[in-house]
Amino acid sequence: MSERDSDRPELSPGDETLVRRVRELLPRHELDAERRVAVNEALDRRIERRRGAGWKLAGAAAATVAVAALLLLGRGTPDPVAPDAPVAPGPSAPLAERDTREVDALLALAETELSPAEDLPEDYEAIASLVWGG
Amino acid sequence: MQALARGLEGTATAVDADREHHFAAFVAEHRDRAVGLAGRLCGGDTAAAEDIAQEAFVRAYRTLGRFRGEARLSTWFYRILVNEARRYTRWRTLRQRFAGELAAEPEDPAARVRPDPALKRRVTKAVNGLSRGQREVFILVHLEGFTVREAAEITGRAVGTVKSHLHRALRALRAELADLAPAPEVETS
């Protein structure tokens, strides 16, 4: 296979039209000059804040952990937990004790420092399996 | 980038100053594209798009020193950004499941052309209805102009897999949005 074969897929005229229409109907979020300045300043603040906190987990990942923790605390009957869930007590554990251990696991996850490695941790997958058991 | 510029005048070493300079240049070059791509990956949520892009830049900033050559850095950066968009999408799914539907996203006030809202919702729904793999490569290649090879590197998939996803994505969209691209009339003699 030549290098060119992998560059761009060839589309039929109909598909070209379809793709063009989708592109038109889903326009890109464009930044004007004012918005660019705002994004730059927000990025500055985020880097300074993160540097000051030792690059701990933050942003949407931490928010998800917090949401999941609150949901576990607030729910009634627990959902079944999949056998291969990363951290979960056995089904025979008392409800209160099981909830406490699940929340502790989530909070421990929240305190994990962000890894600069190329393969980013799938925090959301672990949380989802804890909450939904699968 | 004022904080970064102040860093240049402070206690930063020559190496750190060089890193800051390169990072500022990198942000200036990729900021608009990053925000645009993030916006499409998260279904048009403009606030999330900027948040996702900033988070990706922060992660890139942390590991800027380990890369040699801008080309590899940009591909890796967009891979980070796609991962951040995935995180956001899962977070939103969790929140919707337990806290109810989110409010409809407001129209982008900076949009130069305002498409028919109903049609836009229909197209958004069709694209969001693709599998994650199909949606990502469709957006990367057909909406954002990345090559198939770049999309493969960014999403961590084989070129063949990307092509397969593109083929299936188009097939699904053709079925949902056939009226947007009517079949050409066949000439009869």
Side-chain angles (χ1 to χ4, degrees), chain B residues 114-136:
Chain B
R114 297 183 186 279
D116 172 11
L119 187 54
K120 183 182 176 182
R121 277 195 299 273
R122 196 175 139 223
V123 171
T124 300
K125 185 180 175 185
V127 173
N128 288 345
L130 299 172
S131 72
R132 188 184 78 181
Q134 292 169 10
R135 183 173 66 252
E136 286 177 354

PDB file of all heavy atoms in Angstrom, chain B residues 114-136:
ATOM      1  N   ARG B 114     -25.817  30.554  10.932  1.00  0.00           N
ATOM      2  CA  ARG B 114     -26.656  29.794  11.846  1.00  0.00           C
ATOM      3  C   ARG B 114     -27.517  28.819  11.030  1.00  0.00           C
ATOM      4  O   ARG B 114     -28.464  29.222  10.368  1.00  0.00           O
ATOM      5  CB  ARG B 114     -27.546  30.738  12.649  1.00  0.00           C
ATOM      6  CG  ARG B 114     -26.759  31.689  13.525  1.00  0.00           C
ATOM      7  CD  ARG B 114     -27.672  32.559  14.373  1.00  0.00           C
ATOM      8  NE  ARG B 114     -26.901  33.551  15.097  1.00  0.00           N
ATOM      9  CZ  ARG B 114     -26.249  33.310  16.232  1.00  0.00           C
ATOM     10  NH1 ARG B 114     -26.267  32.119  16.749  1.00  0.00           N
ATOM     11  NH2 ARG B 114     -25.564  34.266  16.825  1.00  0.00           N
ATOM     12  N   PRO B 115     -27.168  27.534  11.111  1.00  0.00           N
ATOM     13  CA  PRO B 115     -27.946  26.570  10.339  1.00  0.00           C
ATOM     14  C   PRO B 115     -29.309  26.364  10.966  1.00  0.00           C
ATOM     15  O   PRO B 115     -29.554  26.719  12.119  1.00  0.00           O
ATOM     16  CB  PRO B 115     -27.098  25.301  10.436  1.00  0.00           C
ATOM     17  CG  PRO B 115     -26.282  25.467  11.663  1.00  0.00           C
ATOM     18  CD  PRO B 115     -26.068  26.924  11.841  1.00  0.00           C
ATOM     19  N   ASP B 116     -30.210  25.763  10.190  1.00  0.00           N
ATOM     20  CA  ASP B 116     -31.531  25.419  10.673  1.00  0.00           C
ATOM     21  C   ASP B 116     -31.391  24.591  11.952  1.00  0.00           C
ATOM     22  O   ASP B 116     -30.783  23.522  11.934  1.00  0.00           O
ATOM     23  CB  ASP B 116     -32.243  24.623   9.573  1.00  0.00           C
ATOM     24  CG  ASP B 116     -33.559  24.055  10.027  1.00  0.00           C
ATOM     25  OD1 ASP B 116     -34.038  24.437  11.119  1.00  0.00           O
ATOM     26  OD2 ASP B 116     -34.122  23.235   9.284  1.00  0.00           O
ATOM     27  N   PRO B 117     -31.941  25.060  13.073  1.00  0.00           N
ATOM     28  CA  PRO B 117     -31.735  24.359  14.353  1.00  0.00           C
ATOM     29  C   PRO B 117     -32.199  22.908  14.332  1.00  0.00           C
ATOM     30  O   PRO B 117     -31.541  22.029  14.882  1.00  0.00           O
ATOM     31  CB  PRO B 117     -32.568  25.185  15.341  1.00  0.00           C
ATOM     32  CG  PRO B 117     -32.690  26.528  14.715  1.00  0.00           C
ATOM     33  CD  PRO B 117     -32.734  26.287  13.242  1.00  0.00           C
ATOM     34  N   ALA B 118     -33.347  22.660  13.698  1.00  0.00           N
ATOM     35  CA  ALA B 118     -33.874  21.302  13.676  1.00  0.00           C
ATOM     36  C   ALA B 118     -32.959  20.381  12.868  1.00  0.00           C
ATOM     37  O   ALA B 118     -32.680  19.240  13.272  1.00  0.00           O
ATOM     38  CB  ALA B 118     -35.281  21.301  13.081  1.00  0.00           C
ATOM     39  N   LEU B 119     -32.489  20.889  11.756  1.00  0.00           N
ATOM     40  CA  LEU B 119     -31.593  20.098  10.916  1.00  0.00           C
ATOM     41  C   LEU B 119     -30.262  19.865  11.627  1.00  0.00           C
ATOM     42  O   LEU B 119     -29.703  18.777  11.578  1.00  0.00           O
ATOM     43  CB  LEU B 119     -31.384  20.810   9.577  1.00  0.00           C
ATOM     44  CG  LEU B 119     -30.596  20.051   8.499  1.00  0.00           C
ATOM     45  CD1 LEU B 119     -31.207  18.687   8.249  1.00  0.00           C
ATOM     46  CD2 LEU B 119     -30.562  20.875   7.219  1.00  0.00           C
ATOM     47  N   LYS B 120     -29.795  20.909  12.316  1.00  0.00           N
ATOM     48  CA  LYS B 120     -28.548  20.777  13.047  1.00  0.00           C
ATOM     49  C   LYS B 120     -28.673  19.716  14.145  1.00  0.00           C
ATOM     50  O   LYS B 120     -27.780  18.898  14.351  1.00  0.00           O
ATOM     51  CB  LYS B 120     -28.150  22.117  13.660  1.00  0.00           C
ATOM     52  CG  LYS B 120     -26.821  22.073  14.382  1.00  0.00           C
ATOM     53  CD  LYS B 120     -26.476  23.402  15.006  1.00  0.00           C
ATOM     54  CE  LYS B 120     -25.185  23.246  15.805  1.00  0.00           C
ATOM     55  NZ  LYS B 120     -24.807  24.491  16.490  1.00  0.00           N
ATOM     56  N   ARG B 121     -29.827  19.725  14.837  1.00  0.00           N
ATOM     57  CA  ARG B 121     -30.037  18.725  15.892  1.00  0.00           C
ATOM     58  C   ARG B 121     -30.049  17.333  15.293  1.00  0.00           C
ATOM     59  O   ARG B 121     -29.522  16.379  15.869  1.00  0.00           O
ATOM     60  CB  ARG B 121     -31.356  18.995  16.618  1.00  0.00           C
ATOM     61  CG  ARG B 121     -31.264  20.040  17.715  1.00  0.00           C
ATOM     62  CD  ARG B 121     -32.486  19.985  18.623  1.00  0.00           C
ATOM     63  NE  ARG B 121     -33.716  20.246  17.899  1.00  0.00           N
ATOM     64  CZ  ARG B 121     -34.209  21.471  17.686  1.00  0.00           C
ATOM     65  NH1 ARG B 121     -33.557  22.533  18.121  1.00  0.00           N
ATOM     66  NH2 ARG B 121     -35.343  21.627  17.019  1.00  0.00           N
ATOM     67  N   ARG B 122     -30.654  17.230  14.132  1.00  0.00           N
ATOM     68  CA  ARG B 122     -30.762  15.919  13.477  1.00  0.00           C
ATOM     69  C   ARG B 122     -29.380  15.413  13.093  1.00  0.00           C
ATOM     70  O   ARG B 122     -29.058  14.240  13.299  1.00  0.00           O
ATOM     71  CB  ARG B 122     -31.655  16.070  12.245  1.00  0.00           C
ATOM     72  CG  ARG B 122     -32.145  14.773  11.699  1.00  0.00           C
ATOM     73  CD  ARG B 122     -33.112  14.990  10.554  1.00  0.00           C
ATOM     74  NE  ARG B 122     -32.819  14.004   9.527  1.00  0.00           N
ATOM     75  CZ  ARG B 122     -32.779  14.250   8.235  1.00  0.00           C
ATOM     76  NH1 ARG B 122     -33.043  15.465   7.785  1.00  0.00           N
ATOM     77  NH2 ARG B 122     -32.483  13.295   7.389  1.00  0.00           N
ATOM     78  N   VAL B 123     -28.559  16.297  12.523  1.00  0.00           N
ATOM     79  CA  VAL B 123     -27.205  15.903  12.117  1.00  0.00           C
ATOM     80  C   VAL B 123     -26.357  15.587  13.351  1.00  0.00           C
ATOM     81  O   VAL B 123     -25.606  14.613  13.375  1.00  0.00           O
ATOM     82  CB  VAL B 123     -26.554  17.013  11.265  1.00  0.00           C
ATOM     83  CG1 VAL B 123     -25.076  16.717  11.034  1.00  0.00           C
ATOM     84  CG2 VAL B 123     -27.266  17.158   9.935  1.00  0.00           C
ATOM     85  N   THR B 124     -26.496  16.426  14.389  1.00  0.00           N
ATOM     86  CA  THR B 124     -25.750  16.186  15.631  1.00  0.00           C
ATOM     87  C   THR B 124     -26.104  14.827  16.210  1.00  0.00           C
ATOM     88  O   THR B 124     -25.232  14.067  16.629  1.00  0.00           O
ATOM     89  CB  THR B 124     -26.065  17.281  16.666  1.00  0.00           C
ATOM     90  OG1 THR B 124     -25.695  18.556  16.138  1.00  0.00           O
ATOM     91  CG2 THR B 124     -25.303  17.048  17.961  1.00  0.00           C
ATOM     92  N   LYS B 125     -27.405  14.518  16.199  1.00  0.00           N
ATOM     93  CA  LYS B 125     -27.850  13.243  16.737  1.00  0.00           C
ATOM     94  C   LYS B 125     -27.296  12.087  15.916  1.00  0.00           C
ATOM     95  O   LYS B 125     -26.885  11.063  16.469  1.00  0.00           O
ATOM     96  CB  LYS B 125     -29.384  13.198  16.733  1.00  0.00           C
ATOM     97  CG  LYS B 125     -29.965  11.960  17.381  1.00  0.00           C
ATOM     98  CD  LYS B 125     -31.484  11.979  17.338  1.00  0.00           C
ATOM     99  CE  LYS B 125     -32.041  10.668  17.893  1.00  0.00           C
ATOM    100  NZ  LYS B 125     -33.518  10.609  17.763  1.00  0.00           N
ATOM    101  N   ALA B 126     -27.271  12.268  14.602  1.00  0.00           N
ATOM    102  CA  ALA B 126     -26.766  11.197  13.734  1.00  0.00           C
ATOM    103  C   ALA B 126     -25.281  10.954  13.987  1.00  0.00           C
ATOM    104  O   ALA B 126     -24.835   9.806  14.098  1.00  0.00           O
ATOM    105  CB  ALA B 126     -27.003  11.556  12.264  1.00  0.00           C
ATOM    106  N   VAL B 127     -24.511  12.034  14.093  1.00  0.00           N
ATOM    107  CA  VAL B 127     -23.075  11.876  14.336  1.00  0.00           C
ATOM    108  C   VAL B 127     -22.827  11.307  15.745  1.00  0.00           C
ATOM    109  O   VAL B 127     -21.990  10.429  15.935  1.00  0.00           O
ATOM    110  CB  VAL B 127     -22.343  13.220  14.151  1.00  0.00           C
ATOM    111  CG1 VAL B 127     -20.882  13.118  14.576  1.00  0.00           C
ATOM    112  CG2 VAL B 127     -22.428  13.676  12.701  1.00  0.00           C
ATOM    113  N   ASN B 128     -23.574  11.812  16.728  1.00  0.00           N
ATOM    114  CA  ASN B 128     -23.410  11.307  18.093  1.00  0.00           C
ATOM    115  C   ASN B 128     -23.882   9.865  18.231  1.00  0.00           C
ATOM    116  O   ASN B 128     -23.513   9.167  19.178  1.00  0.00           O
ATOM    117  CB  ASN B 128     -24.169  12.179  19.088  1.00  0.00           C
ATOM    118  CG  ASN B 128     -23.505  13.531  19.287  1.00  0.00           C
ATOM    119  OD1 ASN B 128     -22.349  13.715  18.915  1.00  0.00           O
ATOM    120  ND2 ASN B 128     -24.232  14.476  19.854  1.00  0.00           N
ATOM    121  N   GLY B 129     -24.722   9.423  17.281  1.00  0.00           N
ATOM    122  CA  GLY B 129     -25.210   8.051  17.320  1.00  0.00           C
ATOM    123  C   GLY B 129     -24.211   7.037  16.797  1.00  0.00           C
ATOM    124  O   GLY B 129     -24.406   5.824  16.957  1.00  0.00           O
ATOM    125  N   LEU B 130     -23.136   7.515  16.188  1.00  0.00           N
ATOM    126  CA  LEU B 130     -22.088   6.603  15.740  1.00  0.00           C
ATOM    127  C   LEU B 130     -21.375   6.013  16.951  1.00  0.00           C
ATOM    128  O   LEU B 130     -21.406   6.601  18.039  1.00  0.00           O
ATOM    129  CB  LEU B 130     -21.072   7.356  14.876  1.00  0.00           C
ATOM    130  CG  LEU B 130     -21.590   8.016  13.582  1.00  0.00           C
ATOM    131  CD1 LEU B 130     -20.494   8.873  12.961  1.00  0.00           C
ATOM    132  CD2 LEU B 130     -22.074   6.971  12.607  1.00  0.00           C
ATOM    133  N   SER B 131     -20.713   4.892  16.747  1.00  0.00           N
ATOM    134  CA  SER B 131     -19.901   4.373  17.840  1.00  0.00           C
ATOM    135  C   SER B 131     -18.770   5.362  18.113  1.00  0.00           C
ATOM    136  O   SER B 131     -18.462   6.210  17.271  1.00  0.00           O
ATOM    137  CB  SER B 131     -19.314   3.010  17.470  1.00  0.00           C
ATOM    138  OG  SER B 131     -18.291   3.186  16.487  1.00  0.00           O
ATOM    139  N   ARG B 132     -18.170   5.273  19.284  1.00  0.00           N
ATOM    140  CA  ARG B 132     -17.133   6.225  19.629  1.00  0.00           C
ATOM    141  C   ARG B 132     -16.006   6.205  18.604  1.00  0.00           C
ATOM    142  O   ARG B 132     -15.527   7.245  18.168  1.00  0.00           O
ATOM    143  CB  ARG B 132     -16.555   5.918  21.010  1.00  0.00           C
ATOM    144  CG  ARG B 132     -15.593   6.982  21.509  1.00  0.00           C
ATOM    145  CD  ARG B 132     -14.970   6.608  22.813  1.00  0.00           C
ATOM    146  NE  ARG B 132     -13.900   5.645  22.605  1.00  0.00           N
ATOM    147  CZ  ARG B 132     -13.182   5.116  23.597  1.00  0.00           C
ATOM    148  NH1 ARG B 132     -13.447   5.428  24.838  1.00  0.00           N
ATOM    149  NH2 ARG B 132     -12.223   4.255  23.350  1.00  0.00           N
ATOM    150  N   GLY B 133     -15.585   5.015  18.221  1.00  0.00           N
ATOM    151  CA  GLY B 133     -14.494   4.894  17.250  1.00  0.00           C
ATOM    152  C   GLY B 133     -14.851   5.510  15.914  1.00  0.00           C
ATOM    153  O   GLY B 133     -14.065   6.243  15.320  1.00  0.00           O
ATOM    154  N   GLN B 134     -16.070   5.236  15.448  1.00  0.00           N
ATOM    155  CA  GLN B 134     -16.510   5.788  14.163  1.00  0.00           C
ATOM    156  C   GLN B 134     -16.616   7.303  14.237  1.00  0.00           C
ATOM    157  O   GLN B 134     -16.192   8.013  13.324  1.00  0.00           O
ATOM    158  CB  GLN B 134     -17.858   5.184  13.778  1.00  0.00           C
ATOM    159  CG  GLN B 134     -17.807   3.702  13.443  1.00  0.00           C
ATOM    160  CD  GLN B 134     -19.194   3.100  13.342  1.00  0.00           C
ATOM    161  OE1 GLN B 134     -20.203   3.809  13.332  1.00  0.00           O
ATOM    162  NE2 GLN B 134     -19.259   1.785  13.259  1.00  0.00           N
ATOM    163  N   ARG B 135     -17.197   7.796  15.337  1.00  0.00           N
ATOM    164  CA  ARG B 135     -17.394   9.241  15.462  1.00  0.00           C
ATOM    165  C   ARG B 135     -16.056   9.957  15.484  1.00  0.00           C
ATOM    166  O   ARG B 135     -15.859  10.979  14.819  1.00  0.00           O
ATOM    167  CB  ARG B 135     -18.174   9.551  16.736  1.00  0.00           C
ATOM    168  CG  ARG B 135     -18.493  11.033  16.922  1.00  0.00           C
ATOM    169  CD  ARG B 135     -19.409  11.271  18.116  1.00  0.00           C
ATOM    170  NE  ARG B 135     -18.757  10.948  19.364  1.00  0.00           N
ATOM    171  CZ  ARG B 135     -19.054   9.893  20.111  1.00  0.00           C
ATOM    172  NH1 ARG B 135     -19.996   9.051  19.739  1.00  0.00           N
ATOM    173  NH2 ARG B 135     -18.414   9.682  21.243  1.00  0.00           N
ATOM    174  N   GLU B 136     -15.100   9.445  16.253  1.00  0.00           N
ATOM    175  CA  GLU B 136     -13.806  10.120  16.369  1.00  0.00           C
ATOM    176  C   GLU B 136     -13.097  10.212  15.030  1.00  0.00           C
ATOM    177  O   GLU B 136     -12.618  11.275  14.625  1.00  0.00           O
ATOM    178  CB  GLU B 136     -12.925   9.376  17.379  1.00  0.00           C
ATOM    179  CG  GLU B 136     -13.342   9.594  18.821  1.00  0.00           C
ATOM    180  CD  GLU B 136     -12.500   8.783  19.791  1.00  0.00           C
ATOM    181  OE1 GLU B 136     -11.666   7.975  19.330  1.00  0.00           O
ATOM    182  OE2 GLU B 136     -12.682   8.963  21.007  1.00  0.00           O
TER     183      GLU B 136
END
